[in-house]
Amino acid sequence: MANSNPSYYTNGSETGQIGRIPEICLSFPSKINSPGMPALLLEKNRHETLMDYSAPRLQFQIVVGFVLTQMIHSVLKILGLPMFVSQMLAGIILGPTVFPNFYSLINRSDESVAALGALGGMGFVYFLFLSTVKMDVSLTFKSGKKAMYIGVLTVVVPLISCMITIKMRHPGINFFTNRVFFLAISYAGTSFQVIHCLLSELRILNSELGRLGLSSALIGDMVTLLLTTLSTWVTSGIQHGALGVLKDIGMASIFMFIVLFVLRPLMKWVVNHTPEASQIKHICFYFVVLAFMLSARVGHFFHINPKYGIIIFGLAVPDGPPLGSALVEKLDPITSGLLLPIFTTTCGIRFNLTAIKTPNQYAKDHAIGATVALVIKFGVSLVLAVSCKMPLRDSLALALIMTSKGIVEIGSYSVMYDKQIISDALFCYLTIMIISVACIVPVLVKRLYDPSRKYLCSQKRTILNSKLNQELRMLGCLHVPGHVNSIIHLMHALCPMKESPISLDVLHLVKLSGRATPLFIAHHKQIKTISEKSYSENVIVAFNEFQRHNWEAVSVNVFTAVSPPNLMYEDTCNLAMDRLTSFIILPFHRRWSINGSIESEDQTIRGLNFDILERAPCSVGIHIEVRRSNFRGTSPAHHSSSYKIAVIFMGGQDDREALALAKRISQNQCVSLTVIHLKAKTSLGNILAENGQMLDDEMLRYIKRSVKDLTYIQEQVKDGPETSTFLRSIVEDFQLIIVGRRYKSKDPQTFGLEEWCEFQEIGIIGDLLSSLDFVGNFSLLIVQQQLQRAA
């Protein structure tokens, strides 16, 4: 509706003219752009304010909403509440409930509310599309029985309970003519998008519980969609007869045929003809976006709800790179950063607490029905999880996850409210229920489920506790093709033998992009994976070749984990637990060229290394390749027939672990081991160091006694600069240098180097050896022994 002052015109020349004077009311077009603050303040004849113009009013509404949201979230995030709750509360505060005068100021007419609502509605539409693009519907057919039972029964049983409750309170009600069945589905349904957002915020998306919850949510969402479509057709049949519903089904079938058998093959053809690791062509990207924007209108033409037209087209778009990931990467920032928060805030603005004071019988029945559906959904999820022999804490967490509600539910109820399908009182009650659940579920799930609990094992998984004649289980992580050669070079440096074999598990970590569901693929199992997309083919070929050249000395299994970068540590630690790994090898995040300049650097890898160092259920090593030109000539180590390895030893559990690894390597007759023992001229009087001195001395005596080709160098140094000078003179003589991490250890040998340490994850000595001050051609392995944590 237009918002402007009407202009009145009379039909006569004088107001005193005999007879009735007709009046004509003309509504001028709305005023969009203001003349500016100076004009509004200085011109005397102007009676308008800035809020009389739609453009600055809309900008003011957005700014106030964002500022208020951030203020609220700065407090609520301390309690662990999600951003969704802050956005809803900001909308409620801006609505007519809390400050009605301020609400009237910034919303002068229905037009101003409609403008903000239209912008927010666009965000909800984009959110639905991107969410369905990231969904892999094929997983519903390949999930386990546990996920299938939980997904189906947590929708069907609450739905029946809700309908029975409403029928008991109102015996004469018709389920379809009064939209009871349709609303009951919305109360009992499961939203994959909401559960995915919850698991992502809690950082348990690729945990064991997270995978089960995500699979169950996907199945539940498909069941909800199927029941909603069935409800729509049954209602149409009651209102328009059998011919009408057959026409709706036929038109919907034509739409789905066009989307699934014309547009989807066309998009898959584009994906298949896009070179690997290349981006989709711009014209193809724009075509998909245009088709998405038309899908709602075209779906309505084919007698399909516009929302479901968008969902069907989104499901038809191939997930993952290059098309799905391109859509998510380009559209998600503006959607989740601007448009969707506006939509959530506008949903809160609709809330009016005064309406709930005088609810009608219809609103009361549905409010009770919605509550019953929520409680029954929690109970069914809990019973099914316990019956599957899950721990009670995990079962409670899963039940809470399956009952979670959020942006999808409040968006659906807002649309129903605008279409007057539900009353003001019912909308208020449903809003309160959604906000309450969104507040309670994350807090309780975080308290009940801690995926790192399973890493708190008393069993020692270290190289030091592994027997020399037994297989050493190692896990090598890689991200980019360059890491393949690095791990293979390190394996050659470790000199595996038939008498002391190595079982190497290779984990290829791939960033989850354009998909919602993480993947974990075991390539050595001769089974069909859950994804048609091939991963890690070059990695498999390279390590199969390495295994053939080291037959009976090395066994290799390749795995691929496709997950968010901030959750990759879960895949790594879970695999290490399942495979009884004793040593995890991580790549360093920085690579140098031969002239010392930085070739590549990835801070995501560095953050992942920190997470694994803190949580790993075994010992960890970070591998660094130092390949810097030595202008004095080639190192003599390259001309030697033996492989020269050095261990820099200062004492402590990490250094003892490094010595244990070196001892295992030295069983190979081609290996020449040098132990460089740096002793302090003065002692800091560290009690813990004195207690560990006996273990250090015993380890050194064992190494001296058992290693034949051993060179033992004991050097006394007074501080860090003296240590640096000594190490600089000898590093070029070795091809592999093993160092203990010694995190947070203060020693006289490194005094003065702490403030120059750039990378804490590799320790002071590791950071020193990897600096530009050291030249040569050698590999550096930083070792951290398994951390012992109290359960």
Side-chain angles (χ1 to χ4, degrees):
M1 294 176 62
N3 178 30
S4 61
N5 295 324
S7 178
Y8 296 95
Y9 295 90
T10 59
N11 201 17
S13 58
E14 296 181 0
T15 57
Q17 183 177 355
I18 299 175
R20 185 174 181 274
I21 304 174
E23 296 180 346
I24 301 174
C25 177
L26 299 179
S27 182
F28 291 120
S30 60
K31 303 171 184 178
I32 299 177
N33 296 317
S34 71
M37 287 297 295
L40 292 175
L41 295 175
L42 297 177
E43 293 187 19
K44 297 181 179 180
N45 295 329
R46 283 189 176 273
H47 301 288
E48 299 96 341
T49 64
L50 199 63
M51 293 295 101
D52 291 323
Y53 298 89
S54 57
R57 184 174 58 237
L58 178 62
Q59 295 166 2
F60 180 75
Q61 291 169 333
I62 294 173
V63 170
V64 170
F66 272 88
V67 170
L68 189 57
T69 298
Q70 295 302 320
M71 291 173 60
I72 296 172
H73 191 62
S74 64
V75 177
L76 296 185
K77 70 179 179 181
I78 301 174
L79 304 176
L81 300 183
M83 179 65 79
F84 167 76
V85 175
S86 302
Q87 293 166 352
M88 284 296 299
L89 292 179
I92 292 174
I93 293 174
L94 294 175
T97 300
V98 181
F99 300 110
N101 294 332
F102 185 73
Y103 171 76
S104 301
L105 175 66
I106 63 174
N107 299 283
R108 298 227 167 166
S109 66
D110 293 339
E111 181 191 357
S112 62
V113 177
L116 188 65
L119 191 61
M122 186 184 300
F124 186 60
V125 168
Y126 272 74
F127 171 75
L128 289 177
F129 172 67
L130 294 177
S131 299
T132 51
V133 166
K134 293 186 286 186
M135 291 172 62
D136 187 0
V137 185
S138 63
L139 293 178
T140 57
F141 306 103
K142 301 171 185 177
S143 301
K145 292 183 178 180
K146 187 190 299 185
M148 185 70 68
Y149 290 146
I150 294 174
V152 174
L153 293 179
T154 53
V155 175
V156 175
V157 176
L159 172 63
I160 295 173
S161 303
C162 176
M163 294 176 65
I164 291 175
T165 301
I166 297 176
K167 187 71 173 177
M168 291 174 62
R169 290 185 57 83
H170 198 290
I173 195 171
N174 189 301
F175 286 140
F176 294 98
T177 56
N178 293 285
R179 294 184 177 269
V180 175
F181 186 62
F182 178 80
L183 290 172
I185 295 172
S186 69
Y187 305 149
T190 301
S191 173
F192 174 83
Q193 295 92 335
V194 171
I195 293 179
H196 179 270
C197 292
L198 172 67
L199 297 175
S200 299
E201 290 177 356
L202 295 176
R203 299 187 67 179
I204 58 173
L205 186 64
N206 55 350
S207 65
E208 185 177 354
L209 182 68
R211 292 178 185 274
L212 176 60
L214 207 60
S215 300
S216 304
L218 182 60
I219 295 170
D221 203 345
M222 292 298 104
V223 173
T224 303
L225 180 62
L226 182 63
L227 290 173
T228 305
T229 304
L230 178 64
S231 169
T232 304
W233 286 342
V234 172
T235 303
S236 176
I238 294 174
Q239 294 177 350
H240 305 101
L243 188 61
V245 71
L246 289 176
K247 181 180 178 181
D248 290 344
I249 295 175
M251 296 292 286
S253 301
I254 295 173
F255 177 81
M256 295 186 66
F257 179 84
I258 295 172
V259 172
L260 298 179
F261 297 100
V262 178
L263 295 181
R264 179 172 171 81
L266 182 62
M267 289 185 285
K268 294 193 73 172
W269 182 87
V270 172
V271 169
N272 294 332
H273 285 76
T274 300
E276 190 175 355
S278 299
Q279 293 185 349
I280 201 81
K281 292 183 179 179
H282 292 297
I283 185 65
C284 300
F285 174 82
Y286 297 141
F287 170 78
V288 175
V289 173
L290 178 62
F292 145 63
M293 298 178 72
L294 293 175
S295 60
R297 176 60 63 180
V298 175
H300 181 70
F301 175 78
F302 282 96
H303 299 193
I304 294 178
N305 189 301
K307 171 185 172 181
Y308 298 130
I310 295 169
I311 291 175
I312 293 171
F313 180 75
L315 293 174
V317 176
D319 61 328
L323 181 56
S325 59
L327 289 168
V328 173
E329 289 172 2
K330 294 181 179 180
L331 298 180
D332 187 65
I334 190 172
T335 301
S336 59
L338 175 64
L339 299 178
L340 193 61
I342 294 175
F343 175 76
T344 310
T345 304
T346 57
C347 292
I349 291 176
R350 291 178 172 89
F351 181 86
N352 190 350
L353 192 60
T354 57
I356 207 170
K357 296 178 180 179
T358 56
N360 55 23
Q361 187 63 35
Y362 182 84
K364 291 180 181 179
D365 295 343
H366 279 266
I368 295 173
T371 305
V372 169
L374 185 66
V375 174
I376 296 297
K377 192 180 187 72
F378 176 83
V380 171
S381 304
L382 180 62
V383 170
L384 290 174
V386 172
S387 64
C388 293
K389 298 181 179 180
M390 290 179 59
L392 181 59
R393 292 174 65 94
D394 293 0
S395 300
L396 287 170
L398 179 63
L400 288 168
I401 290 171
M402 296 306 297
T403 57
S404 59
K405 296 185 179 296
I407 183 64
V408 174
E409 286 80 9
I410 194 64
S412 300
Y413 296 144
S414 296
V415 174
M416 296 180 194
Y417 173 76
D418 293 340
K419 292 183 177 181
Q420 298 181 349
I421 296 175
I422 60 177
S423 63
D424 294 0
L426 181 56
F427 176 78
C428 289
Y429 173 80
L430 295 174
T431 301
I432 293 172
M433 183 181 70
I434 291 172
I435 294 176
S436 301
V437 172
C439 290
I440 295 171
V441 168
V443 176
L444 292 183
V445 172
K446 192 177 295 185
R447 287 184 174 274
L448 289 170
Y449 183 71
D450 181 9
S452 62
R453 280 204 317 265
K454 55 181 173 288
Y455 309 142
L456 304 177
C457 57
S458 57
Q459 183 180 3
K460 291 185 178 180
R461 296 182 179 177
T462 65
I463 302 173
L464 188 61
N465 293 97
S466 301
K467 296 182 179 180
L468 292 174
N469 58 349
Q470 287 185 346
E471 186 180 59
L472 177 63
R473 293 184 172 271
M474 305 179 72
L475 171 61
C477 299
L478 58 93
H479 301 263
V480 296
H483 293 160
V484 175
N485 292 332
S486 297
I487 294 180
I488 292 178
H489 290 160
L490 180 60
M491 288 297 105
H492 284 302
L494 297 180
C495 302
M497 301 182 302
K498 188 185 300 185
E499 295 77 13
S500 182
I502 293 177
S503 173
L504 176 64
D505 294 324
V506 179
L507 180 60
H508 185 197
L509 295 164
V510 181
K511 178 183 177 182
L512 182 68
S513 179
R515 296 179 58 93
T517 310
L519 295 178
F520 190 86
I521 305 171
H523 295 283
H524 62 281
K525 294 183 179 179
Q526 298 300 318
I527 58 175
K528 186 177 180 181
T529 62
I530 59 177
S531 175
E532 298 178 359
K533 188 175 181 62
S534 60
Y535 291 94
S536 312
E537 290 183 355
N538 296 332
V539 176
I540 297 170
V541 171
F543 281 98
N544 284 342
E545 186 71 17
F546 170 71
Q547 182 177 352
R548 279 195 295 270
H549 283 93
N550 297 272
W551 191 252
E552 294 186 347
V554 178
S555 61
V556 180
N557 291 313
V558 180
F559 302 85
T560 298
V562 184
S563 60
N566 63 332
L567 300 179
M568 287 178 177
Y569 70 89
E570 275 283 343
D571 295 305
T572 306
C573 295
N574 285 336
L575 183 60
M577 285 284 294
D578 296 339
R579 302 287 293 177
L580 303 178
T581 303
S582 297
F583 193 58
I584 300 175
I585 302 172
L586 304 175
F588 194 53
H589 72 280
R590 178 180 288 183
R591 295 170 65 88
W592 294 272
S593 60
I594 196 170
N595 62 358
S597 61
I598 298 176
E599 184 179 286
S600 62
E601 185 172 14
D602 191 341
Q603 291 298 324
T604 302
I605 297 178
R606 187 185 184 194
L608 175 62
N609 290 348
F610 268 114
D611 289 335
I612 295 176
L613 286 169
E614 293 174 0
R615 297 172 171 87
C618 60
S619 297
V620 182
I622 296 181
H623 180 229
I624 307 171
E625 286 190 315
V626 180
R627 302 284 184 260
R628 301 194 187 100
S629 177
N630 182 359
F631 298 102
R632 292 177 291 176
T634 306
S635 172
H638 295 282
H639 300 290
S640 174
S641 59
S642 63
Y643 195 89
K644 293 193 174 184
I645 296 176
V647 177
I648 300 175
F649 186 85
M650 292 191 297
Q653 63 177 15
D654 291 347
D655 283 7
R656 292 193 294 271
E657 186 78 356
L659 268 182
L661 178 60
K663 171 65 179 71
R664 189 179 184 95
I665 300 171
S666 65
Q667 293 184 100
N668 194 315
Q669 296 179 355
C670 298
V671 173
S672 175
L673 176 61
T674 299
V675 177
I676 303 170
H677 188 188
L678 299 177
K679 299 194 71 174
K681 293 180 180 179
T682 58
S683 175
L684 293 178
N686 192 328
I687 297 176
L688 294 176
E690 292 174 1
N691 294 336
Q693 186 67 42
M694 294 178 60
L695 294 175
D696 295 339
D697 294 340
E698 182 183 348
M699 187 71 184
L700 287 172
R701 285 194 298 269
Y702 170 70
I703 293 293
K704 293 175 183 178
R705 185 175 62 251
S706 58
V707 178
K708 295 180 181 179
D709 190 4
L710 174 67
T711 302
Y712 178 75
I713 301 174
Q714 181 174 302
E715 183 72 17
Q716 287 194 338
V717 292
K718 66 176 183 179
D719 55 15
E722 194 168 313
T723 299
S724 176
T725 302
F726 172 72
L727 293 179
R728 195 181 294 113
S729 64
I730 65 169
V731 292
E732 296 181 51
D733 298 332
F734 306 100
Q735 290 147 294
L736 175 64
I737 301 176
I738 307 175
V739 184
R741 185 190 180 201
R742 300 177 56 79
Y743 183 54
K744 292 185 178 179
S745 296
K746 294 183 178 181
D747 308 284
Q749 301 96 311
T750 58
F751 183 76
L753 297 177
E754 296 92 341
E755 57 267 24
W756 300 100
C757 183
E758 183 179 2
F759 305 114
Q760 298 290 334
E761 65 270 27
I762 58 177
I764 297 175
I765 297 297
D767 183 82
L768 177 67
L769 294 174
S770 65
S771 65
L772 297 178
D773 295 334
F774 287 75
V775 295
N777 187 10
F778 60 91
S779 291
L780 187 60
L781 185 62
I782 315 300
V783 177
Q784 174 186 278
Q785 194 180 66
Q786 177 190 10
L787 299 177
Q788 298 299 321
R789 309 176 185 87

